[in-house]
Amino acid sequence: MEPKHPADMSTPAGRDTSRLSPSVHGVPVLTVVAHPQLQRVGDRLLLEPLVTDGRPVSLSRNAPDFTRPGGLLSMPLGDPFISRTPVLFEPAPRGGVRVHVPGDSTQVRVAWEPLTGGREFSPEELSVGVPLVLADRVVLLLHRTSALQAPGPEDLGIVGQGEGIRQVRDDITRVADLSIPVLIRGETGTGKELVARAIHERGNRRDGPFVSVNLGALAKDLVSAELFGAQRGAFTGATRDREGFVRAAHGGTLFLDEVGEAPPEVQAALLRVLESGDVIPVGGHEPVRVDVRLVSATDADLESRIQQRLFKAPLLHRLAGFEIQMPPLRARREDIGPLFLHFARQELEATGEAGRLSSSEPRARPWLPADLAVRLVRYAWPGNVRQLRNVARQLVIGSRGMPHLRADARLEQTLDAEALPLPGTALAAPASPELAAPAPEAPEAKAARRKPSDVGEQELLEALRASSWDLKATADWLGIPRPSVYLLIDKSSLIRTARDLSPEEITRCYNECGGDLDQMVQRLEVSKRALQRRVRELGLGA
């Protein structure tokens, strides 16, 4: 093996780079998204010298070593198609990173755009995450992390090492052995029930039942009976006594998903359970004592629903004895590779093809092609982890009997349509003319590039209205990255998202507009794409 350049010694043997000084914040890191040896997915390299003393880091086939967070072994990328001539990562102004590719080094692409010579990536670009493709085989995500502590001994059944998920694990550990109610907030599909189960299994009630109830899926006229039980003859069809989910969870944990959908009478009864521990079955008069721990979850803005008199403020205060915030998948893109591999492994085991993941032939064609990995890591994932699991299943089943995964044209279009672009760039995937999706009309005027923090709530609202709630057109109008539009909408008190709309409101608007999606967008003032997904989920127009 050739001697290492001094800059290659950024992770010398025996040094623990997973635990840095608390004064170091926002260290650039390279995380493996795809590699011909699939066990390498999730390995990472902290580019610590860039921020500690301004030294560059050289990346070649043979050095430096990537380490699995919490793991003991460390190895270089090792792919024989990656050059021994290193690619240089150098510090850039304001905490950015400059990538320099010598002429005789490895071919590097930023998504589908060849990187020749050198290019600087700003802190804003690093916050989104920059997919780097080496030799058309290995995909690395260049991003930043402030979660530099070593991971705990348990993953709690939750895949990922992004700092958002690390915080979730810490929160679970802190609250699991207490008896207080827990409210889990987060977008649909982020894994809120998984967190609830982890709280139950680590708590003092682990030997008791875990009862999971989706309030949004219960018939409105039967919610009270389903939750609190009913006496025989209490209503038409009540031919026997019904225990109810709350009493079924006695001695254990009751998980209420979509708690924001609870009708007013159910909210009042839940408040009684939390305050007194008593349940009164439908048709009954005597309270029944119960001992349950309540963990609830919502993707709705409960504070907004309180203002609209749709949710009781005292109930929110009791539910939120402790809050856990689930990060959306687009905010933890370093976890997409390990999550995809986790779900793909489950599907391969189900189809009897798990051996595909154990190939160690260094020159083999990657089972997860680089271009597909780039599409996965750049997609906005509006359905979050649940959607990623479904895509993994579709890819594995659709590629049965093939040597590598293959996405059909329809899936590629879906992934490309809502890709998160790098700020200030247009990294469109290559597509044949007949497959290319029509580009949205450009707004009449584009603003110069500026900081998202300079955009006020009223200005954002006016830009969304002017752009007919097209988020890409809005981003162009304001001169900010599209990912920033998502973040500004999430923080705004003036703007709702499609996930905030109740099924009843969507159904009513659908009927009043005769199914015209454009009219619905103007009336509800939400993203057309997101509203279309909700309409499909509700089975309207099917």
Side-chain angles (χ1 to χ4, degrees):
M1 182 181 296
E2 63 183 15
K4 291 185 177 180
H5 185 279
D8 287 334
M9 304 305 289
S10 56
T11 55
R15 182 177 181 184
D16 181 11
T17 59
S18 65
R19 187 182 298 274
L20 303 180
S21 166
S23 63
V24 179
H25 298 287
V27 174
V29 59
L30 290 169
T31 297
V32 178
V33 176
H35 192 284
Q37 296 178 337
L38 290 168
Q39 66 271 21
R40 302 299 307 277
V41 172
D43 288 4
R44 70 177 191 171
L45 170 68
L46 291 175
L47 303 179
E48 177 192 359
L50 273 62
V51 295
T52 55
D53 52 19
R55 287 190 295 120
V57 174
S58 300
L59 177 66
S60 69
R61 176 197 309 176
N62 299 322
D65 288 346
F66 283 66
T67 303
R68 177 62 53 93
L72 300 176
L73 298 178
S74 58
M75 298 174 62
L77 289 176
D79 188 84
F81 292 85
I82 295 177
S83 173
R84 291 186 176 89
T85 302
V87 175
L88 296 178
F89 292 81
E90 303 167 332
R94 299 189 304 116
V97 173
R98 184 177 189 274
V99 181
H100 176 67
V101 183
D104 58 346
S105 184
T106 300
Q107 178 193 34
V108 178
R109 288 189 281 117
V110 182
W112 290 276
E113 179 182 306
L115 197 162
T116 55
R119 177 173 168 182
E120 288 186 4
F121 297 99
S122 67
E124 292 76 18
E125 289 173 303
L126 297 184
S127 68
V128 175
V130 181
L132 302 176
V133 183
L134 278 60
D136 287 326
R137 291 169 58 84
V138 175
V139 180
L140 305 176
L141 186 69
L142 174 62
H143 59 107
R144 301 185 75 88
T145 181
S146 57
L148 302 177
Q149 72 277 13
E154 297 182 72
D155 62 13
L156 305 182
I158 303 173
V159 176
Q161 291 297 336
E163 54 190 286
I165 286 300
R166 289 171 179 249
Q167 181 62 54
V168 169
R169 289 198 191 97
D170 288 345
D171 288 342
I172 292 171
T173 302
R174 291 188 183 100
V175 79
D177 62 343
L178 304 178
S179 298
I180 62 173
V182 177
L183 176 62
I184 307 169
R185 296 188 188 236
E187 297 177 9
T188 180
T190 49
K192 296 186 286 293
E193 182 170 351
L194 196 65
V195 172
R197 289 186 179 276
I199 292 172
H200 172 74
E201 291 168 2
R202 286 186 61 88
N204 300 327
R205 299 170 178 263
R206 67 179 67 90
D207 296 328
F210 177 86
V211 178
S212 176
V213 183
N214 186 330
L215 289 178
L218 298 180
K220 297 298 180 184
D221 55 344
L222 294 176
V223 176
S224 293
E226 294 280 8
L227 280 178
F228 308 114
Q231 290 190 351
R232 180 180 178 182
F235 54 88
T236 303
T239 58
R240 57 182 177 83
D241 289 346
R242 180 178 301 186
E243 180 183 46
F245 291 123
V246 175
R247 283 192 284 173
H250 182 76
T253 302
L254 175 65
F255 173 59
L256 294 182
D257 199 4
E258 297 191 30
V259 71
E261 301 296 323
E265 65 275 11
V266 170
Q267 295 181 37
L270 280 175
L271 191 56
R272 183 188 308 116
V273 171
L274 288 166
E275 290 181 341
S276 66
D278 291 337
V279 169
I280 300 179
V282 176
H285 302 285
E286 296 296 326
V288 178
R289 194 76 177 171
V290 292
D291 175 25
V292 298
R293 181 184 191 172
L294 187 60
V295 179
S296 53
T298 184
D299 61 357
D301 183 347
L302 296 183
E303 289 78 8
S304 175
R305 293 181 71 83
I306 289 172
Q307 292 177 0
Q308 299 169 29
R309 299 184 181 277
L310 298 174
F311 202 82
K312 297 180 182 297
L315 178 58
L316 172 58
H317 300 154
R318 293 305 300 264
L319 292 174
F322 185 81
E323 289 196 20
I324 296 178
Q325 182 68 45
M326 294 298 296
L329 189 53
R330 64 180 177 274
R332 44 181 291 222
R333 292 208 281 167
E334 65 269 34
D335 291 337
I336 289 176
L339 275 167
F340 177 82
L341 190 59
H342 171 74
F343 294 132
R345 180 178 287 109
Q346 291 178 342
E347 295 304 320
L348 287 169
E349 290 173 351
T351 59
E353 296 183 299
R356 290 188 179 277
L357 301 180
S358 59
S359 174
S360 59
E361 170 54 47
R363 295 183 175 272
R365 182 177 180 180
W367 181 72
L368 174 57
D371 283 354
L372 176 55
V374 169
R375 283 185 163 94
L376 295 175
V377 83
R378 291 186 61 229
Y379 184 54
W381 296 109
N384 292 292
V385 177
R386 182 186 297 123
Q387 185 185 14
L388 177 60
R389 180 185 60 199
N390 292 339
V391 168
R393 177 182 295 122
Q394 180 177 344
L395 284 167
V396 169
I397 295 175
S399 305
R400 289 188 71 182
M402 300 180 182
H404 55 83
L405 292 176
R406 182 185 65 84
D408 59 30
R410 183 175 180 178
L411 179 56
E412 287 187 351
Q413 286 183 358
T414 298
L415 295 175
D416 291 339
E418 293 194 49
L420 295 174
L422 296 176
T425 65
L427 299 177
S432 57
E434 66 272 16
L435 294 180
E441 294 182 6
E444 294 180 3
K446 278 191 177 183
R449 286 284 161 183
R450 57 184 180 143
K451 296 179 179 179
S453 58
D454 293 337
V455 178
E457 286 190 80
Q458 190 61 42
E459 182 183 8
L460 174 64
L461 179 59
E462 291 172 359
L464 285 164
R465 288 170 174 167
S467 304
S468 299
W469 295 84
D470 184 307
L471 300 190
K472 183 179 185 304
T474 300
D476 292 337
W477 184 281
L478 294 171
I480 61 176
R482 185 165 66 170
S484 298
V485 175
Y486 286 103
L487 297 176
L488 290 174
I489 289 175
D490 285 342
K491 294 178 181 178
S492 173
S493 60
L494 301 176
I495 301 170
R496 295 190 300 173
T497 64
R499 66 178 179 272
D500 297 326
L501 303 175
S502 68
E504 293 81 7
E505 186 175 6
I506 295 174
T507 302
R508 183 171 60 251
C509 185
Y510 181 88
N511 293 331
E512 292 175 354
C513 295
D516 188 320
L517 197 63
D518 291 325
Q519 288 187 34
M520 294 178 67
V521 167
Q522 294 304 316
R523 179 177 296 191
L524 297 172
E525 294 198 326
V526 294
S527 161
K528 182 176 181 179
R529 287 185 183 277
L531 179 60
Q532 189 174 38
R533 283 193 298 271
R534 290 295 307 274
V535 168
R536 288 173 178 169
E537 290 171 1
L538 294 172
L540 299 176

